[in-house]
Amino acid sequence: MLTKEQIVRAAVEVLDAEGVNGLNIRRLGTHLGSAASAMYYYVKSKDKLVVLAADHVFGEIPLPDTATAGWQDAAASLARGAYSMIVRHYWLIPAMSTHLIYGPNKARFDEQSLTIYESAGFTQAEADQAAATVLMFVIGAAQGQAAQAAWQAHLRRNGADADKEFHGITAEMLAIAQALPRLRARIDSAAITPPGDPFEFGLHTVLAGLESRIHSPTSPAP
C-alpha cells in the first residue's frame, strides 16, 4: 500500500525530470505503478502535491549549528545549502511564483535563518529583512541554472534534442556578443582564465553589507 511519503518522493522525481508542467496525478500514478485514484486518497490536487514536494525538498538543506559557528559562517552555510537545493530542483522557482510554499521543513528553514540573524545582533525586524535579503539573493543566483534546466525539461517533453538546441542557441549568443567589445573581451578571456564563482562573490558581498549594518545601528532602514 502506498504511503503519503512515497507519493511525495515520487512527485519530486517527476518534477525533477519534467518540471511543474509535466506533473499530474495520472502521470504520478504511472510513475508509481498505481491507479490515479490511489493518489487522490492522500493528495487532493496537483497544487497541493506541488506544495508538499516543495516543502519536502526544503528538508534537504542542512541546518548549521548556531551554537558552534559564527553568524556569518552559519548564514553562508545555510545560503549554500539553499542554493544547492534549488539548483537540484529547478522547478521550485516557477512553483514559488504560482504557489504559497509552506510546511514543517520550510518553517524550520525560516526559523533557523531568523535565529542566525538575531544571534548576530539584529533586531527582530532587521532579522526579518536580513533573512529575506539573503534568500532573495540565493533565488536570484540560482535562476540561471534553474531556467536552463526547465528549458531542457520542456524540450524533452516535446521530443526535441536538448543538446542540439543548446549548442545552436549558444552559437547565436556568441555571435551577438562578438559585436560588443566588453562581452567579446570576456568571451576571449574566459577561454584562457575561467571566471570566479559569482555566487560566492555575491554571498560574501551581501553578508559583508549586513555586517556593516550591525556596526552602524544609526543607519535608517529603508
Side-chain angles (χ1 to χ4, degrees):
M1 182 176 178
L2 288 175
T3 66
K4 186 175 182 180
E5 178 69 14
Q6 285 176 311
I7 292 171
V8 172
R9 287 182 180 276
V12 171
E13 292 173 0
V14 173
L15 286 163
D16 285 348
E18 302 187 25
V20 175
N21 290 335
L23 176 68
N24 57 60
I25 300 298
R26 186 178 298 278
R27 170 71 178 82
L28 185 61
T30 301
H31 185 75
L32 286 168
S34 182
S37 57
M39 308 296 106
Y40 285 109
Y41 179 80
Y42 293 100
V43 182
K44 301 306 180 186
S45 69
K46 172 183 171 177
D47 286 339
K48 180 61 176 177
L49 186 57
V50 169
V51 171
L52 289 170
D55 182 64
H56 179 84
V57 297
F58 264 94
E60 297 176 3
I61 303 172
L63 302 181
D65 184 358
T66 55
T68 58
W71 81 265
Q72 286 200 55
D73 287 341
S77 175
L78 191 65
R80 291 184 185 109
Y83 175 79
S84 297
M85 181 274 287
I86 294 172
V87 169
R88 284 195 304 274
H89 305 293
Y90 67 91
W91 51 268
L92 185 60
I93 290 181
M96 291 174 75
S97 70
T98 56
H99 297 73
L100 181 62
I101 306 304
Y102 66 94
N105 290 320
K106 176 61 165 57
R108 280 191 286 271
F109 171 84
D110 291 339
E111 176 74 11
Q112 188 73 358
S113 184
L114 294 173
T115 298
I116 289 169
Y117 296 110
E118 288 186 3
S119 73
F122 288 110
T123 66
Q124 186 177 83
E126 290 169 341
D128 291 346
Q129 291 182 323
T133 297
V134 175
L135 183 57
M136 285 187 289
F137 164 73
V138 168
I139 293 171
Q143 174 67 39
Q145 291 186 61
Q148 182 173 330
W151 174 70
Q152 290 173 332
H154 171 75
L155 292 175
R156 287 195 300 271
R157 286 197 306 273
N158 289 282
D161 186 331
D163 289 338
K164 182 178 179 180
E165 291 283 345
F166 177 75
H167 289 306
I169 289 177
T170 299
E172 291 182 26
M173 292 171 61
L174 290 174
I176 292 170
Q178 287 293 337
L180 302 166
R182 289 177 177 79
L183 293 180
R184 184 174 63 250
R186 282 156 176 77
I187 292 170
D188 295 340
S189 64
I192 302 170
T193 306
D197 185 344
F199 174 76
E200 287 297 328
F201 176 85
L203 179 60
H204 174 78
T205 301
V206 170
L207 294 180
L210 291 174
E211 171 74 14
S212 71
R213 291 192 70 89
I214 297 174
H215 298 298
S216 302
T218 57
S219 297

